[in-house]
Amino acid sequence: MRRVYSKGREEDYTVTVDWNLGNACNFKCTYCHPWFKSGTNRFPDINKAKLLVNRIAEKHHESNRLVRFSFVGGEPTLYRHLPSLCRHIKESAWYQVSISTNASASLEYWTDLMPWIDIVSITHHEGKADFQHTKAVVELLRGQFKTVHVAFAMMPHTFDASMARMEELRALGVSAYPQPLYEDHALRKRLMPYTKAQRAILFPNEASDMVIETDKGTREMPSSDHMIYKKMNSFTGMRCGIGVDQIVIDQDGTIRGGWCRVGGALGNVHDGDFEIPTEAIVCTKETCNNPMDLAVPKWRDDPDF
Ligand code: SF4
């Protein structure tokens, strides 16, 4: 393997700040690890959070790279300062703000947040979410030209119901896709017991996002989940752009380059300070399992490899 990158990440251009705003969630889905729903971590102090944005803005002021702040959780809309933080980012520079959400917040909430966000990635959890409300949020956001994606968390026993709802959104022109679930979903390990037909829907052979270059040529893969499923997610010894192309902030405020934790901690939001690396690290992990980490460019220094 010579080089791996995600076209969706606009290689060499977009820097992603993947920010986990605590582990409080109002849904508490069975397949979600307690790490992401127990509510044990405090939300960041708004002034410290804005300080972190300022540090990142200083660092990238001259670089001409687009910075995308991507808020995940838990459920990030439960952080009461989220609108203020998003507004601070949008007023600091030409940055993108993306929210990953279950969309359960009220339409009034989304109307107020809308000026300060660009991309909304909704995950629909069948049996937990009110689909008509999700649909109304999607229509509201699209009406204001926001980019909206809807992932359907596919449980094997509600697979058909989720597919029907997904088709309903697709008929309206919404970007909607099925998301595979794992028994250990946090680590993307042990795929749920899907039937063969369900697996064919979850892992279609359509090229789209991830690109892999090897000595045999270039191959496009549909998604990071597909790469994990096909066991094409080992990059031990390769250079990886975490820290340079991506910063992640864990639910306890720890700042790192990647969710894999390679390269160690860079600081903590609650302390209000951190160091941004300037050099790509060498991967020491056996497998790369987080979709955000997988999308970061990876390469070998030796062009003849
Ligand atoms: S496991 Fe970490 S260091 Fe290794 S390729 Fe993935 S993101 Fe990069």
Side-chain angles (χ1 to χ4, degrees):
M1 204 176 279
R2 290 171 192 267
R3 196 164 75 109
V4 183
Y5 59 94
S6 163
K7 286 193 287 187
R9 200 76 172 255
E10 298 150 68
E11 191 204 11
D12 296 337
Y13 189 55
T14 311
V15 177
T16 299
V17 180
D18 199 25
W19 195 330
N20 186 325
L21 282 171
N23 59 353
C25 186
N26 52 331
F27 274 11
K28 301 188 173 37
C29 301
T30 49
Y31 44 82
C32 184
H33 195 281
W35 288 340
F36 299 105
K37 61 182 179 185
S38 62
T40 50
N41 286 305
R42 64 189 158 125
F43 288 117
D45 172 89
I46 183 61
N47 293 321
K48 298 270 176 63
K50 287 179 178 175
L51 195 62
L52 177 66
V53 172
N54 297 348
R55 289 291 311 276
I56 292 170
E58 280 162 24
K59 156 89 180 170
H60 291 290
H61 182 64
E62 303 293 336
S63 73
N64 200 29
R65 296 186 77 178
L66 173 67
V67 181
R68 181 181 301 146
F69 285 84
S70 177
F71 293 109
V72 298
E75 172 50 39
T77 60
L78 296 182
Y79 177 41
R80 72 186 170 95
H81 296 299
L82 183 67
S84 167
L85 183 55
C86 293
R87 180 175 184 155
H88 180 74
I89 293 166
K90 294 301 284 182
E91 290 180 344
S92 295
W94 182 65
Y95 292 156
Q96 280 190 339
V97 176
S98 164
I99 312 274
S100 293
T101 175
N102 60 29
S104 58
S106 68
L107 293 178
E108 291 74 24
Y109 178 91
W110 288 109
T111 302
D112 290 345
L113 186 63
M114 226 155 22
W116 318 117
I117 57 177
D118 304 282
I119 304 167
V120 182
S121 298
I122 295 171
T123 303
H124 179 77
H125 304 271
E126 189 64 35
K128 290 280 181 186
D130 172 355
F131 179 68
Q132 293 311 320
H133 176 73
T134 302
K135 202 170 142 190
V137 172
V138 170
E139 284 172 345
L140 176 75
L141 293 166
R142 290 177 80 228
Q144 292 299 313
F145 307 105
K146 304 298 171 188
T147 301
V148 184
H149 306 286
V150 185
F152 283 77
M154 303 300 276
M155 294 287 281
H157 66 286
T158 53
F159 202 95
D160 292 345
S162 294
M163 285 302 292
R165 297 200 192 282
M166 193 173 75
E167 292 307 334
E168 192 177 328
L169 290 186
R170 283 179 170 172
L172 298 172
V174 177
S175 159
Y177 59 93
Q179 184 187 355
L181 298 173
Y182 297 79
E183 303 285 1
D184 186 346
H185 197 65
L187 297 178
R188 296 288 197 280
K189 287 192 171 157
R190 301 192 308 280
L191 193 65
M192 281 201 173
Y194 295 111
T195 64
K196 196 173 169 194
Q198 290 173 342
R199 284 201 305 275
I201 291 170
L202 292 170
F203 302 103
N205 284 317
E206 298 162 4
S208 69
D209 192 24
M210 301 295 294
V211 182
I212 301 172
E213 292 176 3
T214 67
D215 53 352
K216 294 190 179 70
T218 300
R219 182 173 174 191
E220 294 190 8
M221 303 287 284
S223 65
S224 47
D225 273 315
H226 206 108
M227 286 180 69
I228 295 170
Y229 181 60
K230 294 284 183 186
K231 299 199 175 356
M232 301 188 75
N233 59 333
S234 180
F235 314 108
T236 321
M238 289 177 73
R239 288 267 174 201
C240 174
I242 59 168
V244 179
D245 299 304
Q246 171 179 273
I247 298 283
V248 308
I249 299 146
D250 215 338
Q251 49 186 252
D252 65 359
T254 307
I255 304 164
R256 298 187 177 88
W259 293 111
C260 63
R261 302 188 173 199
V262 174
L266 308 172
N268 192 295
V269 175
H270 299 305
D271 299 334
D273 202 8
F274 80 112
E275 287 302 320
I276 300 180
T278 51
E279 295 276 324
I281 53 93
V282 173
C283 178
T284 53
K285 279 259 176 165
E286 210 170 299
T287 55
C288 185
N289 294 315
N290 180 281
M292 295 299 296
D293 286 351
L294 270 164
V296 177
K298 309 166 202 325
W299 67 95
R300 294 202 185 268
D301 282 334
D302 180 359
D304 297 326
F305 178 82

